Structures are given as structure tokens and as C-alpha cells.
Amino acid sequence: MRRKIGLEELLERAPAPQNAAPQQQAPAAAAQPRGRAPHTEFEFELPLGYVDDEGTVHRHGAMRLATARDELMPQIDLRVKENPAYLSVVLLSHVITRLGDITDVHAGVVERMYATDVAFLQDLYQRINSEGHTRAAVTCPHCDGAFEVDLAGGRLGES
């Protein structure tokens, strides 16, 4: 009889990649400049803010790009299996690195956020993980002028 194993156990059991022979780097390759690292963390400002147990409102935070592991882990989470709508709560708790003074953002924190803020974070997650930025092209309804806005932060009318 086969036993089901979780992602964590599967990753622990995976054999380490073996290199047949150490590769020697050519001098020309060593002299070539490396590419820039991708921007992996994005600052944001919540529309309403998370209110902690002491009544402090936390509005500023940061979200990092998701990894394949971040996307896979919720699939084996029992809370998600029981209620698929919980997937976004678990996923957001993995990628939010900071919320005000809070550095341990777990599912319980995301659960207690206002729906407006969760919707904002879901949109931000989708934007940075599919497009790699937080800018959106918009058109003024009055003058039909086209411009970009940064959805991650700042108030309307501020620069």
C-alpha cells in the first residue's frame, strides 16, 4: 500500500543534483558582466490597513515575488483542501514579508484583514507575479489622456 507524502517530505527525499565533472570557467566568461538581479520585493500601502490586537493600524508593507514552492504549498494545506477559497489567504501569508512592524505575517493575520485590503493584495500579487511590476496603464475619463499609475502605494494626487 502506498502512503501519501507531502511536498515537504518529497523535497527532503529528492536526491541532490550530481555534477559529472566540475566545469572549468573560461576566462572570457569570467570577464563578462552578470545581468542585474530581478526586482523581487515590492512595497505597498493598504487602502484601509490591518488593525492588530493593540489597535495599531498597519498600512505599509512589502510583498516578494512568489516561487513555485509558494504556489504548490497551499495545494497540500488541509485548510485549502477543506475550503478552496482559503488558498489566497495561505498564499498571501507566504509572500507578504512585512506589514508595518509585523514581520511574521501568517494566515491568521491575513484572515483578520478587511476584504478591501485582501482584494488589493490579491491584485498586487497577480500583477507582480505575471507582469513583474505594479504599474497600470490608465486613461483619464475627462481628457482621454493616457498615463501610468503605481498601484503599490501613494495616495491619489500625491507624487
Side-chain angles (χ1 to χ4, degrees):
M1 177 185 276
R2 288 187 163 179
R3 177 175 73 89
K4 282 189 174 182
I5 62 171
L7 180 61
E8 291 290 326
E9 189 176 346
L10 182 65
L11 292 172
E12 287 173 11
R13 289 183 180 186
Q18 297 178 1
N19 294 336
Q23 295 182 2
Q24 294 184 7
Q25 197 170 18
Q32 291 178 353
R34 294 179 181 232
R36 284 192 344 221
H39 186 172
T40 61
E41 189 166 83
F42 298 84
E43 300 282 325
F44 63 80
E45 182 178 335
L46 294 174
L48 298 175
Y50 168 72
V51 182
D52 65 17
D53 293 333
E54 288 79 38
T56 305
V57 179
H58 303 273
R59 294 186 65 204
H60 298 278
M63 179 185 293
R64 65 174 172 75
L65 286 176
T67 62
R69 182 185 191 100
D70 293 324
E71 299 245 343
L72 292 171
M73 288 301 289
Q75 300 299 326
I76 61 171
D77 191 300
L78 292 177
R79 298 168 294 186
V80 174
K81 286 183 178 184
E82 290 175 8
N83 181 3
Y86 202 76
L87 183 133
S88 64
V89 170
V90 174
L91 187 55
L92 288 173
S93 71
H94 282 270
V95 297
I96 297 172
T97 57
R98 178 178 42 81
L99 186 56
D101 298 336
I102 304 168
T103 55
D104 178 25
V105 180
H106 50 81
V109 171
V110 179
E111 283 176 352
R112 293 180 44 206
M113 288 183 177
Y114 294 109
T116 301
D117 290 337
V118 173
F120 170 84
L121 291 169
Q122 288 170 329
D123 182 61
L124 180 64
Y125 175 91
Q126 186 65 33
R127 185 167 299 281
I128 67 174
N129 285 288
S130 64
E131 299 174 23
H133 60 79
T134 59
R135 295 178 310 279
V138 295
T139 304
C140 176
H142 300 291
C143 68
D144 288 328
F147 57 97
E148 282 189 347
V149 294
D150 189 348
L151 299 177
R155 297 292 207 195
L156 291 176
E158 291 182 358
S159 45

